[in-house]
Amino acid sequence: MAFYRSIFLVLLSIIPLILADNLPIVLVTWKYPEATLKAYDELQTGNAVDAVEVGCNVCEDYPHLCRYSVGFGNKVDEEGEPTLDAMIMDGKTHDVGAVGGLRRVKRAITAARYVMDNTRHTLLVSDPATRFAIDFGNMVNESLKTDRSENNHRQWLNGSCQPNFWENVTPDPSTSCGPYTPLPKTNAESTAKLAKDDHDTIGIVVIDSDSDVAVGTSTNGLSYKIAGRVGDSPIVGSGSYADNDVGGASATGNGDIMMRFVPSYQAVENMRRGMSPADAAAEALSRIAYRYKDFGGAIIAANKQGEYGNVNSLDTLVI
C-alpha cells in the first residue's frame, strides 16, 4: 500500500512521523507538513522529480507555511532585495538544474527544472537567470518584496546593520553599517554559528514506487547576506544529491560552511559503501563539525531499500 514518510527536522530536535513501511518515501527538512503531503500526493500520478518540484512550490507560494525561510517576502540581502536559490536533481539520469540569486520570480525550483529539462547547463545565476525564467519559462515577473520584508530591512538598518557577514573591514562591522574598506586578514577563527531564524531551506528527498530517486532544495538564503551571495542550496552535492543506484540526501544549515564539504554527496557515497542512512549522514556532518566547532546543520538521507536517517550537528561525534 502506498504511503509517505515525512521527517520534520529542526536543528535542535527531530520529530519523525512514520505511517507505513514501504516505498514511495518523501523526506522533508524542517516541519513543513503541507509541502510533504503535496509531494506525496503528486506521486499518485507523477514521478519523483515532479514530487520534488511541487513540494518546494508549496513553500515558494506560501512562505508562511515554511517559517518564511523559503520564497518571497521575508529574508532580503543587505540592499533589501529578496533573492532565491534552488536546485533539482534526477537520480536516474544525473541531470541537474539550478538557479542562484534569482530575482522577481517566486517559483525558483520550477526555474531550476527548466534549466534541467531544456538546457545543457547546470546552473544559471542572477539577472540572466531571471530573464531565462521569465522569457523562456513564461514565469511571472513580480516583486518579491512585501511590507514584512521592507519593515525587517528598515529595522536592520536602524539596528546598525546587525547581524551581517563582513569581517576584516573598517568600520567595525559588529557595531556599524558600511560602506566598508578592507583590512589585512587576521588569523581569528570565523564563526559558523547562525540564529535559527536567520536562514534555512526546504530540502526534499523522494524515492517513488519505481525506486527512482530525486532531490531538491529551495531557499531565500541568509537574512542580510551580502548582495550577490549564493549559498549551498543550488550547488550539486552540497544542497542535495541523488543517485539511483544508492539513494538521496539533502542538507540544511550554514550553507557557506556546508558547501566546502559537499555533505549531501558525501552522505550518498557513505551509503554506497554500506553505511545506514543515519550513519552516512552523521559521518558527513562530523567532517564539518571537526573543523567548525560552533557549526549548526543537518542532513536527511534515504536509501533504495526505503531506510532513512536524519542527523543534526548536535548528534555528531567529533573525533
Side-chain angles (χ1 to χ4, degrees):
M1 186 167 106
F3 80 104
Y4 73 91
R5 287 179 189 161
S6 167
I7 294 181
F8 301 149
L9 182 151
V10 182
L11 295 184
L12 297 180
S13 64
I14 301 173
I15 309 171
L17 173 62
I18 306 170
L19 298 187
D21 199 26
N22 297 299
L23 295 177
I25 183 171
V26 174
L27 309 183
V28 176
T29 57
W30 297 90
K31 190 175 182 179
Y32 302 154
E34 293 86 357
T36 306
L37 289 169
K38 185 69 173 178
Y40 172 71
D41 288 343
E42 182 65 23
L43 290 175
Q44 308 314 301
T45 55
N47 57 32
V49 174
D50 297 329
V52 168
E53 181 183 359
V54 300
C56 287
N57 284 160
V58 170
C59 293
E60 294 167 337
D61 291 342
Y62 306 102
H64 66 282
L65 298 177
C66 303
R67 300 172 47 253
Y68 291 99
S69 66
V70 181
F72 69 96
N74 187 45
K75 293 180 174 60
V76 297
D77 63 21
E78 286 187 329
E79 298 174 357
E81 184 72 26
T83 61
L84 310 179
D85 302 336
M87 186 203 81
I88 190 166
M89 181 172 187
D90 184 342
K92 185 176 182 179
T93 63
H94 272 226
D95 288 341
V96 178
V99 291
L102 187 72
R103 300 167 182 253
R104 301 189 61 81
V105 172
K106 286 183 178 179
R107 289 188 163 188
I109 193 80
T110 298
R113 186 161 186 186
Y114 279 124
V115 175
M116 180 175 76
D117 288 349
N118 301 108
T119 82
R120 287 184 286 174
H121 297 314
T122 295
L123 173 64
L124 300 182
V125 298
S126 194
D127 290 340
T130 300
R131 291 197 299 271
F132 169 82
I134 294 168
D135 296 343
F136 176 78
N138 293 314
M139 302 184 74
V140 177
N141 180 356
E142 57 189 320
S143 174
L144 303 184
K145 296 180 181 179
T146 63
D147 291 343
R148 177 191 178 99
S149 67
E150 294 188 325
N151 182 60
N152 287 347
H153 187 242
R154 281 193 297 270
Q155 290 183 21
W156 180 76
L157 291 172
N158 291 335
S160 300
C161 301
Q162 302 301 309
N164 62 62
F165 296 92
W166 293 90
E167 60 182 17
N168 302 316
V169 297
T170 186
D172 183 351
S174 68
T175 59
S176 301
C177 295
Y180 305 106
T181 57
L183 293 174
K185 182 173 175 58
T186 70
N187 292 323
E189 183 176 352
S190 297
T191 181
K193 188 174 183 179
L194 295 174
K196 185 182 76 169
D197 293 325
D198 283 344
H199 69 292
D200 248 305
T201 303
I202 180 172
I204 301 184
V205 177
V206 176
I207 306 177
D208 64 24
S209 56
D210 293 325
S211 296
D212 291 329
V213 185
V215 296
T217 55
S218 183
T219 185
N220 53 25
L222 295 174
S223 297
Y224 316 116
K225 59 196 174 188
I226 297 170
R229 181 261 187 188
V230 173
D232 67 320
S233 293
I235 306 303
V236 182
S238 291
S240 294
Y241 192 75
D243 188 314
N244 239 41
D245 292 338
V246 182
S250 187
T252 181
N254 186 334
D256 289 297
I257 301 299
M258 298 185 86
M259 73 168 74
R260 303 169 191 178
F261 297 84
V262 286
S264 294
Y265 172 81
Q266 185 63 52
V268 172
E269 290 305 298
N270 287 344
M271 290 191 291
R272 190 191 306 276
R273 299 203 308 267
M275 288 188 185
S276 70
D279 288 344
E283 195 281 335
L285 276 185
S286 72
R287 295 168 180 244
I288 308 174
Y290 174 74
R291 297 289 181 183
Y292 295 91
K293 308 305 182 187
D294 58 352
F295 164 74
I299 297 175
I300 57 174
N303 63 23
K304 294 275 290 206
Q305 290 70 49
E307 299 169 328
Y308 68 90
N310 51 97
V311 177
N312 68 60
S313 55
L314 298 181
D315 296 329
T316 58
L317 176 64
V318 179
I319 57 175

Short mmCIF file of all heavy atoms in Angstrom, two decimals, residues 237-292:
data_model
loop_
_atom_site.label_atom_id
_atom_site.label_comp_id
_atom_site.label_asym_id
_atom_site.label_seq_id
_atom_site.Cartn_x
_atom_site.Cartn_y
_atom_site.Cartn_z
N GLY A 237 25.55 18.34 -4.75
CA GLY A 237 26.33 17.63 -3.74
C GLY A 237 26.39 18.34 -2.41
O GLY A 237 26.71 17.73 -1.39
N SER A 238 26.09 19.63 -2.41
CA SER A 238 26.02 20.37 -1.15
C SER A 238 24.58 20.44 -0.67
O SER A 238 24.22 19.85 0.33
CB SER A 238 26.61 21.78 -1.33
OG SER A 238 28.00 21.70 -1.52
N GLY A 239 23.72 21.17 -1.43
CA GLY A 239 22.33 21.26 -1.03
C GLY A 239 21.63 19.90 -1.05
O GLY A 239 20.93 19.54 -0.11
N SER A 240 21.83 19.17 -2.13
CA SER A 240 21.21 17.84 -2.28
C SER A 240 22.04 17.01 -3.24
O SER A 240 22.86 17.54 -4.00
CB SER A 240 19.78 17.96 -2.83
OG SER A 240 18.91 18.60 -1.94
N TYR A 241 21.79 15.70 -3.21
CA TYR A 241 22.43 14.80 -4.16
C TYR A 241 21.61 13.52 -4.27
O TYR A 241 21.06 13.04 -3.27
CB TYR A 241 23.86 14.46 -3.74
CG TYR A 241 24.65 13.78 -4.83
CD1 TYR A 241 25.14 14.52 -5.91
CD2 TYR A 241 24.91 12.41 -4.80
CE1 TYR A 241 25.86 13.91 -6.93
CE2 TYR A 241 25.63 11.80 -5.82
CZ TYR A 241 26.10 12.56 -6.88
OH TYR A 241 26.81 11.95 -7.89
N ALA A 242 21.51 12.98 -5.50
CA ALA A 242 20.75 11.76 -5.73
C ALA A 242 21.51 10.84 -6.67
O ALA A 242 22.15 11.30 -7.62
CB ALA A 242 19.38 12.09 -6.34
N ASP A 243 21.41 9.55 -6.42
CA ASP A 243 21.98 8.54 -7.29
C ASP A 243 21.04 7.34 -7.28
O ASP A 243 20.78 6.76 -6.21
CB ASP A 243 23.37 8.13 -6.81
CG ASP A 243 24.10 7.22 -7.79
OD1 ASP A 243 23.48 6.27 -8.30
OD2 ASP A 243 25.28 7.46 -8.05
N ASN A 244 20.52 6.99 -8.43
CA ASN A 244 19.52 5.93 -8.49
C ASN A 244 20.05 4.57 -8.05
O ASN A 244 19.27 3.68 -7.74
CB ASN A 244 18.97 5.81 -9.92
CG ASN A 244 17.47 6.04 -9.97
OD1 ASN A 244 16.96 6.93 -9.30
ND2 ASN A 244 16.77 5.24 -10.76
N ASP A 245 21.36 4.40 -8.03
CA ASP A 245 21.93 3.15 -7.55
C ASP A 245 21.97 3.07 -6.03
O ASP A 245 22.17 1.99 -5.47
CB ASP A 245 23.36 2.97 -8.07
CG ASP A 245 23.41 2.76 -9.58
OD1 ASP A 245 22.38 2.34 -10.15
OD2 ASP A 245 24.48 3.02 -10.17
N VAL A 246 21.81 4.21 -5.37
CA VAL A 246 22.06 4.26 -3.93
C VAL A 246 20.89 4.86 -3.16
O VAL A 246 20.29 4.24 -2.29
CB VAL A 246 23.34 5.08 -3.62
CG1 VAL A 246 23.63 5.08 -2.12
CG2 VAL A 246 24.53 4.54 -4.39
N GLY A 247 20.57 6.14 -3.43
CA GLY A 247 19.55 6.87 -2.69
C GLY A 247 19.78 8.36 -2.83
O GLY A 247 20.36 8.83 -3.81
N GLY A 248 19.35 9.11 -1.83
CA GLY A 248 19.48 10.56 -1.91
C GLY A 248 19.67 11.18 -0.54
O GLY A 248 19.40 10.56 0.49
N ALA A 249 20.15 12.42 -0.55
CA ALA A 249 20.37 13.16 0.69
C ALA A 249 20.17 14.64 0.42
O ALA A 249 20.34 15.13 -0.70
CB ALA A 249 21.77 12.92 1.24
N SER A 250 19.81 15.37 1.49
CA SER A 250 19.66 16.81 1.40
C SER A 250 20.11 17.42 2.72
O SER A 250 19.94 16.82 3.79
CB SER A 250 18.21 17.19 1.11
OG SER A 250 18.09 18.58 0.86
N ALA A 251 20.70 18.62 2.63
CA ALA A 251 21.29 19.25 3.80
C ALA A 251 20.64 20.60 4.08
O ALA A 251 20.07 21.23 3.19
CB ALA A 251 22.80 19.45 3.59
N THR A 252 20.75 21.02 5.33
CA THR A 252 20.24 22.33 5.74
C THR A 252 21.15 22.88 6.83
O THR A 252 21.72 22.11 7.61
CB THR A 252 18.78 22.23 6.24
OG1 THR A 252 18.32 23.53 6.62
CG2 THR A 252 18.65 21.31 7.43
N GLY A 253 21.32 24.19 6.86
CA GLY A 253 22.19 24.78 7.87
C GLY A 253 22.97 25.94 7.30
O GLY A 253 22.50 26.65 6.39
N ASN A 254 24.18 26.15 7.79
CA ASN A 254 25.03 27.25 7.34
C ASN A 254 25.65 26.89 5.99
O ASN A 254 26.66 26.21 5.91
CB ASN A 254 26.12 27.53 8.38
CG ASN A 254 26.95 28.76 8.03
OD1 ASN A 254 27.08 29.13 6.87
ND2 ASN A 254 27.51 29.40 9.05
N GLY A 255 25.02 27.38 4.93
CA GLY A 255 25.43 26.96 3.60
C GLY A 255 26.82 27.38 3.21
O GLY A 255 27.49 26.68 2.44
N ASP A 256 27.28 28.54 3.70
CA ASP A 256 28.64 28.97 3.35
C ASP A 256 29.68 27.99 3.87
O ASP A 256 30.72 27.79 3.24
CB ASP A 256 28.90 30.36 3.93
CG ASP A 256 28.11 31.43 3.19
OD1 ASP A 256 28.35 31.61 1.99
OD2 ASP A 256 27.24 32.06 3.81
N ILE A 257 29.39 27.37 5.00
CA ILE A 257 30.29 26.35 5.55
C ILE A 257 30.05 25.01 4.88
O ILE A 257 30.98 24.32 4.46
CB ILE A 257 30.11 26.22 7.07
CG1 ILE A 257 30.38 27.57 7.77
CG2 ILE A 257 30.99 25.12 7.64
CD1 ILE A 257 31.77 28.10 7.57
N MET A 258 28.79 24.63 4.73
CA MET A 258 28.47 23.29 4.25
C MET A 258 28.98 23.04 2.83
O MET A 258 29.42 21.94 2.50
CB MET A 258 26.96 23.04 4.34
CG MET A 258 26.45 23.10 5.77
SD MET A 258 24.70 22.69 5.97
CE MET A 258 24.82 20.91 6.12
N MET A 259 28.92 24.06 1.97
CA MET A 259 29.34 23.83 0.59
C MET A 259 30.83 23.51 0.47
O MET A 259 31.27 22.98 -0.55
CB MET A 259 28.96 25.01 -0.29
CG MET A 259 29.80 26.24 -0.10
SD MET A 259 29.51 27.46 -1.42
CE MET A 259 27.91 28.09 -0.96
N ARG A 260 31.59 23.80 1.51
CA ARG A 260 33.02 23.48 1.48
C ARG A 260 33.27 21.99 1.67
O ARG A 260 34.40 21.51 1.51
CB ARG A 260 33.74 24.27 2.57
CG ARG A 260 33.54 25.77 2.42
CD ARG A 260 34.02 26.55 3.63
NE ARG A 260 33.57 27.94 3.56
CZ ARG A 260 33.80 28.86 4.48
NH1 ARG A 260 34.49 28.53 5.58
NH2 ARG A 260 33.35 30.09 4.33
N PHE A 261 32.22 21.24 2.03
CA PHE A 261 32.37 19.81 2.36
C PHE A 261 31.46 18.90 1.52
O PHE A 261 31.47 17.69 1.74
CB PHE A 261 32.08 19.59 3.85
CG PHE A 261 33.03 20.29 4.77
CD1 PHE A 261 32.85 21.63 5.11
CD2 PHE A 261 34.13 19.63 5.30
CE1 PHE A 261 33.73 22.28 5.97
CE2 PHE A 261 35.01 20.27 6.16
CZ PHE A 261 34.82 21.60 6.49
N VAL A 262 30.68 19.46 0.62
CA VAL A 262 29.68 18.72 -0.19
C VAL A 262 29.05 17.57 0.62
O VAL A 262 29.18 16.40 0.26
CB VAL A 262 30.28 18.24 -1.52
CG1 VAL A 262 30.45 19.39 -2.49
CG2 VAL A 262 31.61 17.51 -1.35
N PRO A 263 28.35 17.90 1.70
CA PRO A 263 27.90 16.85 2.62
C PRO A 263 26.82 15.93 2.07
O PRO A 263 26.76 14.76 2.46
CB PRO A 263 27.40 17.65 3.82
CG PRO A 263 27.00 18.97 3.27
CD PRO A 263 27.99 19.24 2.18
N SER A 264 25.96 16.43 1.18
CA SER A 264 24.93 15.54 0.63
C SER A 264 25.56 14.47 -0.25
O SER A 264 25.17 13.30 -0.19
CB SER A 264 23.90 16.36 -0.16
OG SER A 264 23.19 17.23 0.69
N TYR A 265 26.52 14.87 -1.07
CA TYR A 265 27.26 13.89 -1.87
C TYR A 265 27.97 12.89 -0.96
O TYR A 265 27.94 11.68 -1.21
CB TYR A 265 28.28 14.61 -2.76
CG TYR A 265 29.23 13.68 -3.47
CD1 TYR A 265 28.84 13.02 -4.63
CD2 TYR A 265 30.51 13.44 -2.97
CE1 TYR A 265 29.71 12.16 -5.29
CE2 TYR A 265 31.38 12.58 -3.62
CZ TYR A 265 30.98 11.94 -4.77
OH TYR A 265 31.84 11.08 -5.40
N GLN A 266 28.60 13.40 0.09
CA GLN A 266 29.33 12.52 0.99
C GLN A 266 28.40 11.50 1.65
O GLN A 266 28.75 10.32 1.79
CB GLN A 266 30.06 13.32 2.06
CG GLN A 266 30.95 12.49 2.96
CD GLN A 266 32.07 11.83 2.19
OE1 GLN A 266 32.82 12.48 1.45
NE2 GLN A 266 32.21 10.52 2.32
N ALA A 267 27.22 11.94 2.04
CA ALA A 267 26.26 11.03 2.67
C ALA A 267 25.85 9.92 1.71
O ALA A 267 25.76 8.75 2.09
CB ALA A 267 25.03 11.81 3.16
N VAL A 268 25.60 10.28 0.45
CA VAL A 268 25.22 9.27 -0.54
C VAL A 268 26.38 8.30 -0.79
O VAL A 268 26.19 7.08 -0.86
CB VAL A 268 24.76 9.94 -1.84
CG1 VAL A 268 24.56 8.90 -2.95
CG2 VAL A 268 23.47 10.71 -1.61
N GLU A 269 27.59 8.83 -0.89
CA GLU A 269 28.73 7.94 -1.09
C GLU A 269 28.96 7.03 0.12
O GLU A 269 29.35 5.87 -0.03
CB GLU A 269 29.99 8.76 -1.39
CG GLU A 269 29.96 9.41 -2.76
CD GLU A 269 29.73 8.38 -3.86
OE1 GLU A 269 30.56 7.47 -4.02
OE2 GLU A 269 28.68 8.49 -4.54
N ASN A 270 28.69 7.55 1.31
CA ASN A 270 28.79 6.70 2.51
C ASN A 270 27.79 5.56 2.45
O ASN A 270 28.09 4.42 2.84
CB ASN A 270 28.56 7.54 3.77
CG ASN A 270 29.72 8.45 4.09
OD1 ASN A 270 30.83 8.29 3.58
ND2 ASN A 270 29.49 9.42 4.96
N MET A 271 26.56 5.85 1.97
CA MET A 271 25.57 4.78 1.82
C MET A 271 26.01 3.79 0.76
O MET A 271 25.79 2.57 0.90
CB MET A 271 24.20 5.37 1.47
CG MET A 271 23.54 6.13 2.61
SD MET A 271 21.80 6.57 2.30
CE MET A 271 21.96 7.78 1.00
N ARG A 272 26.66 4.27 -0.28
CA ARG A 272 27.16 3.37 -1.32
C ARG A 272 28.15 2.36 -0.74
O ARG A 272 28.22 1.21 -1.18
CB ARG A 272 27.83 4.17 -2.44
CG ARG A 272 28.16 3.34 -3.69
CD ARG A 272 29.05 4.11 -4.65
NE ARG A 272 28.51 5.39 -5.01
CZ ARG A 272 27.62 5.59 -5.98
NH1 ARG A 272 27.16 4.56 -6.66
NH2 ARG A 272 27.19 6.81 -6.26
N ARG A 273 28.90 2.80 0.24
CA ARG A 273 29.90 1.93 0.87
C ARG A 273 29.29 1.04 1.95
O ARG A 273 30.01 0.30 2.62
CB ARG A 273 31.02 2.77 1.49
CG ARG A 273 31.78 3.61 0.49
CD ARG A 273 33.17 3.97 1.00
NE ARG A 273 33.14 4.57 2.32
CZ ARG A 273 33.08 5.89 2.55
NH1 ARG A 273 33.02 6.72 1.52
NH2 ARG A 273 33.09 6.36 3.77
N GLY A 274 27.97 1.11 2.13
CA GLY A 274 27.30 0.19 3.03
C GLY A 274 26.81 0.78 4.33
O GLY A 274 26.20 0.06 5.14
N MET A 275 27.06 2.06 4.58
CA MET A 275 26.56 2.67 5.82
C MET A 275 25.04 2.81 5.77
O MET A 275 24.45 3.00 4.71
CB MET A 275 27.17 4.06 6.02
CG MET A 275 28.62 4.08 6.40
SD MET A 275 29.11 5.79 6.83
CE MET A 275 30.87 5.55 7.07
N SER A 276 24.41 2.77 6.93
CA SER A 276 22.99 3.09 7.02
C SER A 276 22.81 4.57 6.74
O SER A 276 23.76 5.36 6.87
CB SER A 276 22.47 2.78 8.42
OG SER A 276 23.00 3.70 9.37
N PRO A 277 21.61 5.02 6.34
CA PRO A 277 21.41 6.45 6.11
C PRO A 277 21.77 7.33 7.31
O PRO A 277 22.39 8.38 7.13
CB PRO A 277 19.92 6.54 5.77
CG PRO A 277 19.61 5.22 5.13
CD PRO A 277 20.43 4.23 5.91
N ALA A 278 21.43 6.89 8.51
CA ALA A 278 21.74 7.70 9.69
C ALA A 278 23.25 7.80 9.90
O ALA A 278 23.78 8.88 10.17
CB ALA A 278 21.07 7.11 10.93
N ASP A 279 23.95 6.67 9.79
CA ASP A 279 25.40 6.69 9.96
C ASP A 279 26.08 7.48 8.84
O ASP A 279 27.06 8.19 9.07
CB ASP A 279 25.95 5.27 9.99
CG ASP A 279 25.61 4.52 11.27
OD1 ASP A 279 25.22 5.19 12.25
OD2 ASP A 279 25.75 3.29 11.28
N ALA A 280 25.54 7.35 7.63
CA ALA A 280 26.10 8.08 6.49
C ALA A 280 25.99 9.58 6.69
O ALA A 280 26.93 10.34 6.43
CB ALA A 280 25.40 7.66 5.21
N ALA A 281 24.83 10.03 7.17
CA ALA A 281 24.62 11.46 7.42
C ALA A 281 25.50 11.95 8.56
O ALA A 281 26.09 13.03 8.50
CB ALA A 281 23.15 11.72 7.71
N ALA A 282 25.61 11.14 9.62
CA ALA A 282 26.41 11.54 10.78
C ALA A 282 27.88 11.67 10.40
O ALA A 282 28.56 12.62 10.83
CB ALA A 282 26.23 10.52 11.91
N GLU A 283 28.38 10.74 9.60
CA GLU A 283 29.79 10.81 9.22
C GLU A 283 30.05 12.05 8.36
O GLU A 283 31.08 12.73 8.52
CB GLU A 283 30.19 9.55 8.46
CG GLU A 283 31.70 9.33 8.32
CD GLU A 283 32.35 10.17 7.22
OE1 GLU A 283 31.63 10.55 6.26
OE2 GLU A 283 33.55 10.45 7.32
N ALA A 284 29.13 12.36 7.45
CA ALA A 284 29.30 13.54 6.60
C ALA A 284 29.30 14.81 7.44
O ALA A 284 30.12 15.71 7.22
CB ALA A 284 28.20 13.58 5.55
N LEU A 285 28.40 14.91 8.41
CA LEU A 285 28.35 16.10 9.27
C LEU A 285 29.57 16.19 10.17
O LEU A 285 30.03 17.30 10.49
CB LEU A 285 27.09 16.08 10.12
CG LEU A 285 25.81 16.61 9.48
CD1 LEU A 285 24.69 16.62 10.50
CD2 LEU A 285 25.99 18.01 8.90
N SER A 286 30.10 15.05 10.61
CA SER A 286 31.23 15.08 11.54
C SER A 286 32.45 15.73 10.91
O SER A 286 33.27 16.34 11.60
CB SER A 286 31.58 13.66 12.01
OG SER A 286 32.18 12.90 10.98
N ARG A 287 32.58 15.65 9.59
CA ARG A 287 33.70 16.28 8.89
C ARG A 287 33.64 17.81 9.04
O ARG A 287 34.67 18.47 9.12
CB ARG A 287 33.69 15.90 7.41
CG ARG A 287 33.92 14.41 7.14
CD ARG A 287 33.61 14.06 5.69
NE ARG A 287 33.83 12.64 5.46
CZ ARG A 287 34.75 12.14 4.64
NH1 ARG A 287 35.56 12.96 3.97
NH2 ARG A 287 34.88 10.84 4.47
N ILE A 288 32.40 18.33 9.04
CA ILE A 288 32.23 19.77 9.19
C ILE A 288 32.44 20.18 10.65
O ILE A 288 33.15 21.15 10.94
CB ILE A 288 30.83 20.20 8.72
CG1 ILE A 288 30.55 19.68 7.31
CG2 ILE A 288 30.71 21.72 8.76
CD1 ILE A 288 29.14 19.93 6.82
N ALA A 289 31.82 19.43 11.56
CA ALA A 289 31.91 19.76 12.98
C ALA A 289 33.34 19.68 13.49
O ALA A 289 33.72 20.38 14.44
CB ALA A 289 31.01 18.83 13.78
N TYR A 290 34.15 18.85 12.87
CA TYR A 290 35.56 18.74 13.26
C TYR A 290 36.31 20.05 13.01
O TYR A 290 37.17 20.45 13.79
CB TYR A 290 36.21 17.59 12.48
CG TYR A 290 37.70 17.47 12.69
CD1 TYR A 290 38.21 16.96 13.88
CD2 TYR A 290 38.60 17.85 11.69
CE1 TYR A 290 39.58 16.84 14.07
CE2 TYR A 290 39.96 17.73 11.88
CZ TYR A 290 40.45 17.23 13.07
OH TYR A 290 41.81 17.11 13.26
N ARG A 291 35.96 20.72 11.93
CA ARG A 291 36.64 21.96 11.55
C ARG A 291 35.98 23.20 12.16
O ARG A 291 36.66 24.21 12.40
CB ARG A 291 36.64 22.10 10.03
CG ARG A 291 37.41 21.00 9.31
CD ARG A 291 38.90 21.13 9.52
NE ARG A 291 39.66 20.09 8.81
CZ ARG A 291 40.97 19.97 8.88
NH1 ARG A 291 41.67 20.80 9.62
NH2 ARG A 291 41.57 18.99 8.23
N TYR A 292 34.68 23.14 12.37
CA TYR A 292 33.93 24.31 12.85
C TYR A 292 33.13 23.88 14.07
O TYR A 292 32.06 23.28 13.95
CB TYR A 292 33.00 24.84 11.76
CG TYR A 292 33.74 25.40 10.57
CD1 TYR A 292 34.05 24.58 9.47
CD2 TYR A 292 34.14 26.73 10.53
CE1 TYR A 292 34.74 25.08 8.38
CE2 TYR A 292 34.83 27.24 9.43
CZ TYR A 292 35.13 26.42 8.36
OH TYR A 292 35.79 26.92 7.28
#
